[in-house]
Amino acid sequence: MAPHVRPENVLKRAEELLAVDQSADALNMLREIITSKRTRSTAITSLEPMMNLFVELCVQLRKGKLAKEGLYTYKNIAQNTSVGSIEVVFKKFIDLSKAKVTEAQAQAEKITLDQIEDLEATETPESILLSTVSTEQSKDRTDRAVVTPWLKFLWESYRTVLEILRNNAKLEIMYQTVAAQAFQFCLKYSRKTEFRRLCELLRNHLQSAAKNSSQVHAINLNDPDTLQRHLDTRFAQLNAAVELELWQEAFRSVEDIHTLLTISKRPAKLAMMANYYEKLTKIFLVSDNYLFHAAATSRYYNIRFQAKNLKEEDFTRAASLVLLSALSIPVINTSRFRTFEVDESKHKNSRLSSLLGMTRAPSRASLIKDVLSRGILSRVSPEIRDLYNILEVDFHPLSICKKVSPIILQIANDPELARYIQPLHQVILTRLFQQLSQVYDVVKFDFVLKLVNFPAPFEISSTEVEKFIMNGCKKGELFIQVDHAGDSITFESDVYASSKAAAADGGVIQLQPTPSDIVRTELSRLSKTLFATINVVDHEYVEARKAAKNIAIERAIVGAENEHKAALARRHVLEERAKKAETILHQREEDESKKRALRQQQEQIAEQKRLTEELRKREIDRIRREQEAIKEQEKRKLADEIISKGIKLDKESIETMDTQKLREVQIEQTEKKTKDVADRLRATSKRIDHLERAFRKVEVPLLDKDYEQQKQTDKLLHEERRRATIEQTKTQYEIRVKLQKRLRRMLPDYEAFKNKVLED
């Protein structure tokens, strides 16, 4: 079909093809019209019904590539005039794809039920034989054959729409809506692979938008509303990633949100930030990063604390989570990952700190100190407060595990708090060995195992205890030697050794100074003692110090006065310089304003002249175009008149001729045509005359023969019709006799029922 046909006629022709089950032909015809260059000038009101039918056929025939081509073309046509029409067509495309998936699921369910012939039979011979060669169940095979193609088509539909709508400010709302629907698709059908691809697709779109910000309809990330919509989409992405337990994608989503928050000039809503920190707590907990998990929990508590509709028990629970998460940070790094290099670890901690809005990486001591400074300790539950006192305040190496055991049982009863039991074991063991090292030099390993006594099912074996000791020694947190022959452990007695945990964690509760503490403070204590002795024994030294102090004070007073005078003089000089600079600046601004005004006046005059000249040229061009259009119109009219009379003219000759030449051609062709017609009529009349005479001579002997044949044919047809009529009449008679007999058998019941009704 020609591409210049009107859309109404195309739509009517497509509906006619659909009426005779030629959907593929109708789709190809619509595609040719929609992708044609001439369609770009068609009105949207005429093009939209055609697009709706095109989308329906694409979904019905599962032609994703054709749909993408047509939708992309329609977007380019309508984005400047009718954004609402684009949204209607794209929404219909998505809705039809969803409907097909729902229909396929219902069909698969029906097929599965129809295959079950006996509900009491658990296995059939066919199912047993099939199970030996295939691990799939019947429903799985049915879903793979019926539902999966439509699921794939729906996923491709989401990707197609997102690709077409990307980086377009006019279609930004529709883009975000489709992205949210794609997230719901991944959640509904648990499509983890597709969710990863969707996140990467949206991330690429955002990067492309930042690079191609100079395009005509490009989105502006500096616009607060646009940035807010992207933030909403990224938060929906984060929620979906957490629900699907894709923690790596969730962390990348958090990074995307942090980048957008950094760009945003508008502060984020409290509810959004609360959701942000809540998801961070889950991500850090899954990755066993208890340090940043505690920091994120603290941030989340700060935002929840600002809410006014929370109950007291909610505050208590939140405060308990903050303190417990801080206490659960292992003093010794026992992560399942290998230790990073120093630079890489610093970079990682700096990156994670920026996600939490911190200027530097947190530490266990700083988080616990923050909890105490904000008064959270007074809000926590009693068992968590007791746990804090046992681990951070009291000194009880022989009973620390015994005191902690009841608290662990209470924590284990709460599913949300039970996840902290494992890291708490590491903290408890660290405190146990740190405190034992201050009391004992050598202890039996069996004695230590008796102290490490946790309630079931949280017991720790001797192998785990030994592994913990080795890990602490490897990290430089503990200084212990294990003697397997003597079944004992020896605490390091090097007076120059110091624990990194003691320095990093603010020190450990000590019963008495250790040899290393004594050695480290020996010189400072000696200097303090000598200074006190000199002050008592040597009076001249004391007087000399007093005199030197007085001289220093006098010198300081004189120096302060001189500095004050110098400051006043410098201030006066600066004020004079500022006044001169201000005067020069003011004079320069006046000169610049005069030059600017003069330049603007000259530009206005030049612009006015240019506009006047352009207006004159446009008027001359307009008159010339009108004259040429009138001449062209007259020539076209004359050419059409010549063509309508049957005279052939090609387009090239029409373009090269003027009006006078066309009139001469018209007269010449008319005379020639009249002469040809007269000659043809004369020859034709003569030929027809002779031909008719020959026909009649041949026809005369054949008329009688044809008459006899026609009589025989009519007689046979009459007999055949009479016989068919008799057979049909007999058949109808037998059917009516049977019906009469059936009705007669029903007549007594009918009479009885009628009499009963009449009596009532």
Side-chain angles (χ1 to χ4, degrees), residues 235 268-278 300 303:
F235 272 108
K269 300 176 183 177
L270 287 180
M272 294 176 60
M273 295 308 299
N275 184 25
Y276 174 77
Y277 287 120
E278 182 185 7
Y300 178 55
I303 294 179

Side-chain angles (χ1 to χ4, degrees), residues 480-700:
I480 300 174
Q481 293 181 356
V482 179
D483 184 4
H484 291 282
D487 193 21
S488 63
I489 60 175
T490 302
F491 296 100
E492 187 67 40
S493 59
D494 186 2
V495 296
Y496 297 104
S498 61
S499 174
K500 291 192 291 184
D505 200 28
V508 184
I509 306 301
Q510 294 185 353
L511 180 65
Q512 58 188 2
T514 61
S516 60
D517 294 334
I518 295 174
V519 170
R520 284 198 303 272
T521 60
E522 183 68 24
L523 292 177
S524 62
R525 289 189 296 106
L526 178 61
S527 64
K528 291 179 182 178
T529 304
L530 291 175
F531 182 74
T533 303
I534 290 175
N535 286 333
V536 173
V537 175
D538 193 350
H539 296 286
E540 294 180 358
Y541 173 74
V542 175
E543 293 296 333
R545 286 186 71 250
K546 287 182 179 180
K549 182 178 180 181
N550 293 331
I551 293 172
I553 292 173
E554 292 176 358
R555 187 166 57 249
I557 293 173
V558 174
E561 292 178 355
N562 294 334
E563 287 182 2
H564 180 64
K565 292 178 180 179
L568 291 177
R570 185 170 179 274
R571 179 180 178 184
H572 180 70
V573 172
L574 291 176
E575 289 177 353
E576 291 295 330
R577 289 180 180 177
K579 288 180 181 179
K580 290 181 180 179
E582 186 177 357
T583 303
I584 295 172
L585 181 62
H586 182 68
Q587 184 65 32
R588 186 180 302 169
E589 289 179 353
E590 288 183 354
D591 295 339
E592 289 291 334
S593 62
K594 290 179 181 179
K595 292 179 181 179
R596 190 163 49 250
L598 180 60
R599 188 166 55 251
Q600 289 178 355
Q601 185 178 3
Q602 293 174 352
E603 290 177 355
Q604 289 176 357
I605 294 172
E607 182 68 17
Q608 188 174 2
K609 289 182 179 179
R610 186 183 64 81
L611 293 175
T612 305
E613 184 66 21
E614 286 184 357
L615 183 61
R616 188 181 64 81
K617 289 181 180 180
R618 282 200 298 269
E619 186 66 22
I620 294 173
D621 292 340
R622 184 185 64 79
I623 295 172
R624 187 179 65 255
R625 285 196 303 270
E626 289 180 355
Q627 292 174 349
E628 291 177 354
I630 292 171
K631 291 180 181 179
E632 185 68 21
Q633 186 177 3
E634 291 178 355
K635 185 172 71 171
R636 290 290 179 184
K637 186 176 180 181
L638 184 58
D640 293 339
E641 185 180 352
I642 294 173
I643 294 173
S644 64
K645 292 181 179 179
I647 300 174
K648 295 183 179 180
L649 288 176
D650 54 355
K651 293 183 179 180
E652 295 181 357
S653 61
I654 292 174
E655 295 294 335
T656 56
M657 293 180 183
D658 56 2
T659 308
Q660 184 64 29
K661 186 65 175 177
L662 284 173
R663 287 196 181 97
E664 293 176 359
V665 170
Q666 182 183 13
I667 295 170
E668 180 182 353
Q669 293 291 338
T670 302
E671 292 176 352
K672 183 178 179 182
K673 185 177 180 182
T674 304
K675 184 178 179 182
D676 291 342
V677 169
D679 294 340
R680 284 199 301 271
L681 284 175
R682 188 166 51 254
T684 302
S685 61
K686 186 175 180 181
R687 185 177 63 254
I688 291 174
D689 210 16
H690 291 284
L691 187 63
E692 183 65 24
R693 187 180 298 112
F695 282 161
R696 291 191 180 185
K697 286 183 179 181
V698 176
E699 183 184 18
V700 170

Side-chain angles (χ1 to χ4, degrees), residues 356-529:
L356 293 173
M358 296 181 172
T359 56
R360 59 180 182 178
S363 64
R364 188 176 189 275
S366 64
L367 291 174
I368 294 178
K369 184 178 179 181
D370 183 60
V371 168
L372 298 178
S373 63
R374 289 189 292 163
I376 297 179
L377 187 61
S378 60
R379 288 180 171 270
V380 301
S381 57
E383 62 272 12
I384 305 300
R385 189 182 300 112
D386 294 340
L387 179 64
Y388 166 76
N389 292 328
I390 294 171
L391 294 179
E392 305 297 330
V393 179
D394 299 337
F395 184 89
H396 35 68
L398 301 181
S399 60
I400 182 172
C401 295
K402 184 178 180 182
K403 291 182 178 181
V404 169
S405 295
I407 300 176
I408 289 180
L409 291 177
Q410 289 181 337
I411 294 175
N413 294 329
D414 190 338
E416 190 174 2
L417 301 180
R419 56 192 180 185
Y420 296 107
I421 292 179
Q422 181 180 359
L424 277 175
H425 282 171
Q426 308 297 329
V427 178
I428 295 169
L429 289 177
T430 305
R431 293 301 185 218
L432 173 64
F433 285 107
Q434 286 176 345
Q435 295 179 11
L436 285 176
S437 66
Q438 299 179 30
V439 180
Y440 299 98
D441 291 332
V442 180
V443 293
K444 287 290 185 179
F445 196 68
D446 294 338
F447 174 72
V448 175
L449 292 179
K450 291 180 181 179
L451 295 180
V452 184
N453 185 16
F454 292 106
F458 307 110
E459 301 93 340
I460 296 180
S461 63
S462 59
T463 305
E464 294 175 344
V465 174
E466 186 175 350
K467 183 178 179 181
F468 174 79
I469 294 173
M470 294 299 101
N471 183 67
C473 294
K474 179 181 178 181
K475 302 295 175 58
E477 308 289 351
L478 300 176
F479 300 94
I480 300 174
Q481 293 181 356
V482 179
D483 184 4
H484 291 282
D487 193 21
S488 63
I489 60 175
T490 302
F491 296 100
E492 187 67 40
S493 59
D494 186 2
V495 296
Y496 297 104
S498 61
S499 174
K500 291 192 291 184
D505 200 28
V508 184
I509 306 301
Q510 294 185 353
L511 180 65
Q512 58 188 2
T514 61
S516 60
D517 294 334
I518 295 174
V519 170
R520 284 198 303 272
T521 60
E522 183 68 24
L523 292 177
S524 62
R525 289 189 296 106
L526 178 61
S527 64
K528 291 179 182 178
T529 304

Side-chain angles (χ1 to χ4, degrees), residues 240-258:
V242 172
E243 190 169 345
L244 291 172
E245 296 184 354
L246 296 174
W247 303 110
Q248 187 174 4
E249 280 300 330
F251 182 76
R252 297 183 69 183
S253 302
V254 166
E255 289 184 321
D256 296 339
I257 291 173
H258 179 261

